[in-house]
């Protein structure tokens, strides 16, 4: 007999010598906790488990967190059971007459292990005392009340939640964010919507897509205007900033109903068990739906049964919506919900309505935008400041709309109109341009840039480059090699090839992407698109240090991408003293990048904390540049064992550094 078995046997004998208390009922077993830990090997969230036992007569409880293997260890579960009776015998002396469990086999195991024929085992649908204890732990972990569970809302049942989950799964699979933009307000014309859900926008931040709801079109437009005003006020003095912050902290009517798709470990904590234990439908590991409205600080509302049924039907109607429906501007779908069949009539006003109240028509707005877009494209300006200077030049003729005549001109005009068009309208204009002229390079390229499906985007970029080869004589292409940025036509080629390269990279075709980046650098020696930065980051991420070193030797624009790329390369390939010298140069170029790399680099709130009040006027642009650089290089740094830890340690080194002097901010993408 092993030492563990001998100890367990002795403890069992001691426990059975305790007198039975006829009024005592215990309950417990292995339960799931609403917490997660990250698996060291897979990086995936792993739900935490616990072994819990409670004495309902004395309200005494024992709860210990365990990993998955320990949760399957019956002897470990028995040991925790014995501990509840033995750990303080004078205060708790006695053993139960009844045992409540959810797993009947566990109850049988405990009864057999104790050799207690009189112990009554009762199978329960839930363990309320254990659930109370877990809820208390959750509240203490959150330093206040967390959002309520979806099942806490009035009349919401598991059947209602299952119907909602199924509808949410279908909508996620439909991926409406691929063809409806966040500027395309969708109005629910029928049925009558619950308060706050008459309109919605499809949100996609590349990580957590979903839907944002509004009470009306007016509310949506008012908040868009408020956001614009807030953006314009960012450069106000400190006093104005304080007032604005006060307005933001006023948690009033600005909060909306939302449907978010999140990873399981980001669910409201009381929803974790609902999804993890009930086998509800879900589209994927990052697609758990959460319907919620924030009311104030730590105050939330979850949809009641009627609102949940409306939401279920809406999700089903949108899941059945086609691209042709969207382009029509108004469509109808009848779907089955938990409350029976419902007919939804949906519309996108920006695709069908003409403005009122004296505002310019959509046609007038698009013509004005086309005029400005043509001016910027044909002027060959290096930056916007140069374009504005030219526009304000004394005696300069007023910009006039040029009426297109040929199919090619009409197609290009549609591309110019698309520049300022919101959401789906931009897609419509670009597709019209492609239909008018199969050689409209810009239409293919720009549509590829806004297409979410990488395979479709690749086809569009390839079609655009093929159109350029048909349109531009080979001798002109050859004469402009190295100077593609100087011509509007060849500049479109650069844009299309850059899109092709990044799409190949996103598809995992690294070698092909590297070839395209190298081609871009040869076609535009000043590398306005930043292809060299992309190539360096990809080489480092793929572990091709020999090629990365050669690239570092032949190119350097003084920007942070080269500096921090060189630092990482030196850390991998040179003595630590050389790596420190390279890092010193990088810190002089941009110390922000180092901090962003250490903290992960990608959180907007973290970025906002990097600015101090005495920063100069160029601070915002420098923060954005640092953020872009960190985002680009972070995968390579993370892929290098010990690199981030080394960087963090170097930032803590006490030796004084030279004063900061930027060698050059580097060239950003001129797309």
């Amino acid at each position: 007999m092993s030492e563990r078995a001998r100890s367990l046997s002795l403890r069992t004998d001691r426990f059975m010598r305790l007198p039975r208390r006829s009024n005592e009922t215990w309950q417990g077993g292995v339960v799931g906790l609403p917490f997660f830990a990250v698996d060291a090997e897979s990086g995936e969230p792993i739900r935490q488990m616990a072994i819990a036992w409670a004495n309902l007569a004395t309200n005494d409880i024992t709860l210990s967190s365990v990993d998955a293997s320990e949760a399957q260890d019956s002897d470990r579960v028995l040991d925790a059971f014995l501990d509840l009776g033995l750990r303080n015998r004078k205060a708790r002396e006695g053993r139960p007459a009844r045992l409540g469990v959810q797993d009947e086999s566990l109850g049988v195991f405990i009864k057999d292990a104790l050799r207690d024929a009189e112990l009554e085992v009762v199978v329960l649908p839930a363990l309320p005392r254990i659930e109370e204890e877990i809820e208390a732990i959750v509240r203490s972990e959150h330093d206040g009340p967390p959002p309520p569970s979806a099942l806490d809302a009035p009349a919401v049942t598991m059947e209602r939640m299952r119907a909602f989950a199924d509808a949410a799964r279908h909508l996620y699979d439909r991926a409406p964010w691929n063809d409806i933009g966040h500027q395309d307000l969708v109005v629910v014309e029928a049925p009558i919507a619950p308060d706050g859900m008459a309109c919605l926008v499809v949100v996609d931040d590349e990580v957590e897509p979903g839907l944002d709801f509004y009470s009306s079109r007016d509310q949506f437009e008012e908040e868009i205007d408020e956001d614009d005003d807030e953006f314009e006020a960012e450069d106000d003095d400190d006093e104005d900033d304080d007032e604005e912050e006060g307005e933001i902290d006023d948690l009033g009517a600005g909060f909306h109903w939302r449907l978010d798709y999140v990873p399981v470990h980001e669910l409201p904590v009381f929803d974790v068990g609902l999804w993890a234990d009930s086998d509800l439908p879900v589209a994927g590991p990052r697609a758990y739906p959460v319907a919620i409205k924030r009311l104030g600080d730590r105050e939330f509302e979850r949809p009641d049964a009627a609102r949940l049924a409306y939401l279920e039907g809406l999700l089903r109607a949108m899941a059945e919506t086609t691209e042709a429906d969207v382009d029509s501007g108004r469509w109808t779908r009848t779907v089955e919900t938990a409350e029976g069949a419902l007919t939804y009539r949906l519309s996108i006003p920006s695709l069908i309505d003409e403005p009122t109240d004296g505002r310019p028509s959509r046609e007038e707005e698009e013509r004005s935008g086309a005029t400005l877009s043509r001016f910027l494209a044909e002027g060959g300006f290096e930056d916007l400041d140069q374009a504005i200077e030219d526009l304000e030049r004394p005696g300069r003729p007023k910009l006039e709309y040029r009426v297109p005549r040929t199919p090619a001109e009409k197609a290009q005009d549609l591309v110019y109109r698309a520049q300022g068009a919101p959401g789906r309208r931009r897609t419509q204009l670009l597709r019209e341009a492609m239909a008018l002229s199969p050689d409209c390079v810009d239409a293919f390229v720009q549509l590829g840039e806004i297409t979410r499906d990488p395979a479709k985007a690749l086809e569009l970029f390839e079609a655009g480059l093929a159109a350029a080869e048909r349109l531009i004589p080979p001798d002109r292409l050859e004469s402009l090699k190295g100077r593609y940025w100087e011509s509007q036509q060849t500049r479109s080629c650069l844009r299309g090839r850059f899109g092709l390269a990044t799409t190949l990279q996103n598809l995992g075709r690294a070698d092909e992407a590297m070839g395209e980046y190298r081609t871009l650098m040869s076609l535009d020696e000043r590398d306005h698109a930043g292809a060299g930065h992309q190539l360096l980051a990809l080489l480092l991420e793929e572990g091709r240090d020999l090629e990365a070193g050669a690239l570092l030797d032949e190119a350097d624009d003084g920007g942070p991408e080269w500096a921090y790329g060189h630092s990482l390369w030196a850390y991998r390939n040179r003595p630590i003293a050389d790596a420190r010298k390279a890092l010193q140069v990088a810190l002089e170029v941009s110390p922000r990048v180092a901090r962003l790399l250490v903290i992960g680099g990608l959180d907007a709130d973290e970025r906002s904390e990097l600015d101090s009040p005495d920063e100069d006027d160029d601070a915002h642009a420098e923060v954005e540049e640092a953020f872009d650089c960190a985002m680009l290089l972070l995968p390579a740094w993370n892929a290098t064992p010990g690199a981030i830890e080394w960087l963090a340690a170097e930032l803590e080194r006490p030796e004084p550094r030279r004063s900061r002097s930027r060698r050059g901010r580097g060239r950003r993408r001129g797309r």
Side-chain angles (χ1 to χ4, degrees):
M1 179 182 294
S2 68
E3 186 63 32
R4 181 188 181 193
R6 184 178 297 106
S7 173
L8 194 59
S9 177
L10 291 173
R11 285 168 56 80
T12 300
D13 290 341
R14 288 174 56 202
F15 181 85
M16 289 303 296
R17 288 197 291 271
L18 298 175
R20 186 186 307 280
R21 304 297 186 188
S22 61
N23 66 329
E24 284 195 8
T25 298
W26 291 13
Q27 68 175 220
V30 178
V31 295
L33 298 175
F35 306 118
F36 291 82
V38 177
D39 183 79
E41 295 184 1
S42 67
E44 294 297 319
I46 303 297
R47 190 181 182 191
Q48 297 298 283
M49 307 297 291
I51 299 172
W53 294 104
N55 184 329
L56 302 189
T58 64
N59 206 33
D60 191 23
I61 190 167
T62 177
L63 188 149
S64 56
S65 179
V66 293
D67 60 29
S69 62
E70 292 173 320
Q72 299 297 319
D73 187 343
S74 298
D75 287 346
R76 177 71 182 266
V77 180
L78 173 62
D79 196 50
F81 175 88
L82 299 174
D83 188 56
L84 181 61
L86 296 175
R87 62 184 177 178
N88 189 343
R89 290 182 56 187
K90 289 184 179 180
R92 302 175 179 81
E93 188 168 343
R95 54 192 175 92
R98 286 166 299 281
L99 179 62
V101 293
Q102 287 184 286
D103 180 359
E104 183 177 9
S105 64
L106 175 61
V108 172
F109 169 77
I110 295 290
K111 184 173 181 175
D112 290 346
L114 297 177
R115 298 183 296 279
D116 187 350
E118 297 179 4
L119 179 63
E120 179 185 357
V121 175
V122 181
V123 179
L124 304 173
L127 303 173
R129 178 63 188 91
I130 304 300
E131 291 173 358
E132 288 176 8
E133 185 69 14
I134 293 174
E135 182 173 335
I137 294 172
V138 167
R139 292 183 183 279
S140 66
E141 289 283 336
H142 277 73
D143 193 26
S149 165
L151 290 177
D152 289 339
V156 173
T157 63
M158 183 61 72
E159 290 72 24
R160 294 267 181 154
M161 280 302 300
R162 189 171 299 280
F164 162 74
D166 182 65
R169 178 189 62 180
H170 285 298
L171 181 69
Y172 190 90
D173 290 339
R174 163 63 176 83
W177 35 86
N178 285 345
D179 44 57
I180 303 177
H182 68 278
Q183 296 171 306
D184 298 318
L185 183 72
V186 179
V187 175
V188 184
E189 298 180 351
I192 297 175
D195 290 344
M197 285 189 165
C199 306
L200 63 106
V201 293
V202 176
V203 178
D204 179 23
D205 61 2
E206 302 281 347
V207 178
E208 293 179 3
L211 307 177
D212 277 359
F213 291 88
Y214 294 85
S215 297
S216 65
R217 182 177 178 181
D218 286 342
Q219 184 194 25
F220 170 73
E221 292 177 349
E222 286 171 6
E223 295 200 12
I224 291 295
D225 291 340
E226 289 174 4
D227 289 343
D228 291 341
D229 292 342
E230 184 179 315
F231 177 79
E232 293 173 1
E234 283 184 353
D235 294 330
D236 288 349
D237 59 27
D238 292 342
E239 182 178 351
D240 290 338
D241 287 342
D242 292 339
E243 293 176 0
E244 183 177 327
E245 183 178 351
E247 293 173 3
I248 294 172
D249 288 341
D250 183 11
L251 306 176
F255 294 149
H256 309 277
W257 281 102
R258 296 174 54 90
L259 170 70
D260 294 317
Y261 288 97
V262 301
V264 66
H265 60 282
E266 292 183 14
L267 282 169
V269 66
F270 291 134
D271 281 5
V272 171
L274 171 65
W275 290 90
D277 300 332
S278 303
D279 195 29
L280 296 180
V282 63
R286 304 191 65 85
Y288 289 83
V290 179
I292 195 166
K293 180 181 180 181
R294 185 176 181 184
L295 302 176
D297 188 18
R298 298 189 180 280
E299 292 184 72
F300 301 88
E301 182 180 355
R302 306 302 295 273
D304 60 18
R307 190 182 294 272
L308 199 65
Y310 165 86
L311 188 56
E312 176 206 341
L314 178 61
L315 301 186
R316 294 193 189 282
M318 292 193 65
E320 295 180 10
T321 294
T322 66
E323 282 197 68
D325 290 332
V326 174
D327 285 333
S328 72
R330 180 176 282 117
W331 65 100
T332 301
R333 285 287 182 273
T334 299
V335 296
E336 291 294 330
T337 75
E339 294 193 346
L342 286 176
T343 297
Y344 287 79
R345 186 170 68 249
L346 308 173
S347 66
I348 300 179
S350 63
L351 299 182
I352 57 177
D353 288 355
E354 290 293 337
T356 57
D357 302 327
R359 289 180 292 173
S361 68
R362 190 175 68 192
E363 176 76 11
E364 291 174 295
E365 290 181 336
E366 288 179 0
R367 284 192 174 195
S368 297
T371 301
L372 181 59
S373 296
R374 180 182 293 276
F375 165 73
L376 294 173
E378 296 180 352
F381 303 108
E382 284 288 334
D383 52 44
L384 186 58
D385 290 339
Q386 189 182 52
I388 294 174
E389 182 181 345
D390 187 84
L391 276 174
E392 295 176 345
R393 176 167 45 86
R396 193 195 187 289
K398 181 181 177 181
L399 293 180
E400 297 288 347
Y401 178 71
R402 188 190 309 170
V403 178
R405 302 187 183 280
T406 68
E409 289 176 350
K410 291 177 181 179
Q412 192 63 46
D413 182 67
L414 289 171
V415 171
Y416 290 141
R417 291 188 181 197
Q419 298 297 311
R424 186 66 186 182
R425 180 61 182 159
R426 183 181 182 191
T427 299
Q428 288 180 329
L429 291 169
L430 292 173
R431 286 183 171 175
E432 288 177 31
M434 289 165 53
L436 269 175
S437 173
D439 289 338
C440 187
V441 178
D442 285 335
F444 287 98
V445 170
Q446 293 186 32
L447 189 57
E449 290 173 341
I450 62 176
T451 297
R452 291 293 310 277
D453 185 334
K456 292 181 180 178
L458 189 66
E459 292 177 3
L460 289 165
F461 288 128
E462 289 174 339
L465 292 174
E469 291 180 0
R470 293 192 301 269
L471 189 66
I472 308 172
D475 57 342
R476 177 162 174 75
L477 290 175
E478 183 62 30
S479 67
L480 285 171
K481 189 173 183 180
R483 300 181 293 111
Y484 266 36
W485 188 257
E486 297 176 8
S487 164
Q488 181 188 353
Q489 282 186 319
T490 49
R491 189 180 298 185
S492 296
C493 294
L494 289 177
R495 187 168 176 173
R497 196 166 291 279
F498 190 90
L500 178 66
T502 55
T503 303
L504 287 168
Q505 184 174 344
N506 291 336
L507 288 169
R509 295 160 62 175
D511 286 340
E512 294 171 80
M514 292 175 191
E516 294 296 337
Y517 288 134
R518 293 187 188 279
T519 299
L520 278 162
M521 295 173 70
S522 69
L523 296 177
D524 177 26
E525 293 176 352
R526 295 183 62 189
D527 194 16
H528 291 80
H533 299 160
Q534 297 285 333
L535 176 59
L536 176 61
L538 185 54
L539 287 170
L540 290 169
E541 186 177 352
E542 293 291 314
R544 295 165 66 160
D545 285 14
L546 188 61
E547 295 169 76
L551 181 62
L552 287 165
D553 286 341
E554 69 186 41
D556 183 354
D557 62 11
E561 291 85 357
W562 295 109
Y564 280 91
H566 184 222
S567 298
L568 179 60
W569 181 88
Y571 174 79
R572 291 177 175 181
N573 298 279
R574 292 289 183 264
I576 199 65
D578 291 347
R580 283 177 176 153
K581 289 178 182 178
L583 179 59
Q584 180 64 49
V585 173
L587 290 169
E588 292 175 356
V589 173
S590 175
R592 283 190 178 90
V593 174
R595 290 183 291 179
L596 284 166
L597 287 170
V598 168
I599 65 173
L602 306 181
D603 187 272
D605 292 334
E606 298 281 6
R607 289 162 57 199
S608 66
E609 295 174 3
L610 294 177
D611 290 330
S612 56
D614 59 348
E615 294 277 5
D616 58 32
D617 293 337
D618 203 31
H620 179 74
E622 291 186 10
V623 169
E624 289 301 313
E625 180 185 45
F627 174 71
D628 290 344
C629 178
M631 178 181 285
L632 180 67
L633 292 173
L634 187 61
W637 278 83
N638 278 337
T640 307
I644 292 291
E645 293 77 8
W646 169 74
L647 179 58
E650 288 299 308
L651 291 179
E652 297 296 325
R653 283 170 62 85
E655 34 295 86
R657 299 192 182 100
R658 291 173 287 173
S659 61
R660 176 186 171 198
S661 62
R662 290 183 58 80
R663 298 189 304 153
R665 292 182 50 205
R667 203 170 295 110
R668 309 311 303 158
R669 296 179 192 168
R671 301 199 297 148

